[in-house]
Amino acid sequence: TSLGPLLLIVGLVVALLCVLLIPNSDGERVVESRYSTRPHHISASVTKNVDRAFRQRSFLGEPPQWSLVGSPENLALRETMAHGEDLENVRMARNNFVLWNLHFSLNGSTGIWRDSGADSCLWDGVRCDLAGRVADLDLEDKDFSGELPRTLYMLQHLRSLSLKGNQDLGATEGLPTFMIHMPLLHSINVCGTGYTNRGINAICAKNIETSISSS
């Protein structure tokens, strides 16, 4: 009988270690208590999370250049840190970074989300699932130009993406191949963009792999 309390304690310790050390389905560690809303802690959490994804997936290439002042990644990280105390967990911080990096990579100068608060699920054109993961992006007619950044891959629960009406978007390259590795992404609308001019179906067919290979 004296072993009962000891076994209970051992069980609780094992359960705690599982919570601290086992990643969840998004590759994050379920350790909200370790997360801090101090700017430098947010920066460290985001950069480590993104760098880990790049190291584990060779098709993404080299990790972002965080320290390069004025780079999209650097600017996006600064915007993310600006919301500091309102970012409740790593997922919120990462979502904000990915969306801001998308904005700056596509030469967005209007600050479409600048006054939108910390919860990116409430931002214009952004819809999330019940778990707070970005599921749909409607970025029509934002005067974006350039190419889609590799960090978009981090939105692994993205189901649809509309880039319609951004005439100077995708003028030099086809749809990036990393999109093949986004399993839930089934709908892309590139009508009225440079991607359409490169022979991609204007309706952006549901078969993403076919659309990418045809570019």
Side-chain angles (χ1 to χ4, degrees):
T1 57
S2 60
L3 290 178
L6 178 60
L7 292 175
L8 178 61
I9 293 174
V10 171
L12 291 174
V13 170
V14 171
L16 178 61
L17 288 174
C18 288
V19 170
L20 291 175
L21 298 178
I22 297 177
N24 66 10
S25 59
D26 292 329
E28 300 174 359
R29 295 190 182 282
V30 188
V31 191
E32 298 302 337
S33 59
R34 291 184 184 177
Y35 178 78
S36 169
T37 56
R38 294 180 179 178
H40 66 283
H41 287 162
I42 292 174
S43 175
S45 296
V46 171
T47 55
K48 288 179 180 178
N49 194 277
V50 174
D51 284 346
R52 181 171 64 242
F54 273 68
R55 287 195 305 269
Q56 294 174 346
R57 299 160 181 85
S58 59
F59 58 83
L60 289 176
E62 294 297 318
Q65 296 181 317
W66 304 105
S67 60
L68 184 59
V69 177
S71 68
E73 295 87 359
N74 181 272
L75 294 172
L77 193 59
R78 289 177 179 274
E79 288 288 346
T80 302
M81 290 189 294
H83 287 293
E85 60 186 19
D86 296 320
L87 296 172
E88 299 175 358
N89 51 54
V90 175
R91 178 176 292 153
M92 282 186 68
R94 185 188 61 191
N95 282 355
N96 283 21
F97 165 75
V98 172
L99 292 172
W100 275 117
N101 190 47
L102 178 67
H103 176 271
F104 288 117
S105 294
L106 302 182
N107 302 310
S109 59
T110 58
I112 57 174
W113 295 316
R114 184 153 284 128
D115 299 319
S116 301
D119 188 355
S120 55
C121 292
L122 302 177
W123 292 3
D124 181 38
V126 182
R127 284 184 291 184
C128 297
D129 60 20
L130 295 178
R133 300 170 299 205
V134 177
D136 304 283
L137 279 179
D138 181 355
L139 302 175
E140 295 185 11
D141 300 312
K142 301 298 184 185
D143 292 323
F144 283 153
S145 63
E147 306 298 336
L148 294 172
R150 296 168 296 158
T151 50
L152 183 64
Y153 169 82
M154 302 293 293
L155 302 181
Q156 276 290 290
H157 293 269
L158 189 65
R159 299 174 304 199
S160 67
L161 173 64
S162 179
L163 303 168
K164 181 181 178 181
N166 294 284
Q167 298 181 8
D168 296 322
L169 179 64
T172 59
E173 298 180 11
L175 286 171
T177 56
F178 69 74
M179 300 181 88
I180 296 176
H181 303 280
M182 300 177 71
L184 300 183
L185 183 58
H186 60 80
S187 175
I188 300 181
N189 189 334
V190 293
C191 299
T193 70
Y195 292 123
T196 306
N197 296 331
R198 294 181 61 82
I200 298 175
N201 191 314
I203 301 176
C204 300
K206 295 179 180 179
N207 190 324
I208 300 303
E209 185 170 357
T210 300
S211 296
I212 292 174
S213 63
S214 68
S215 65

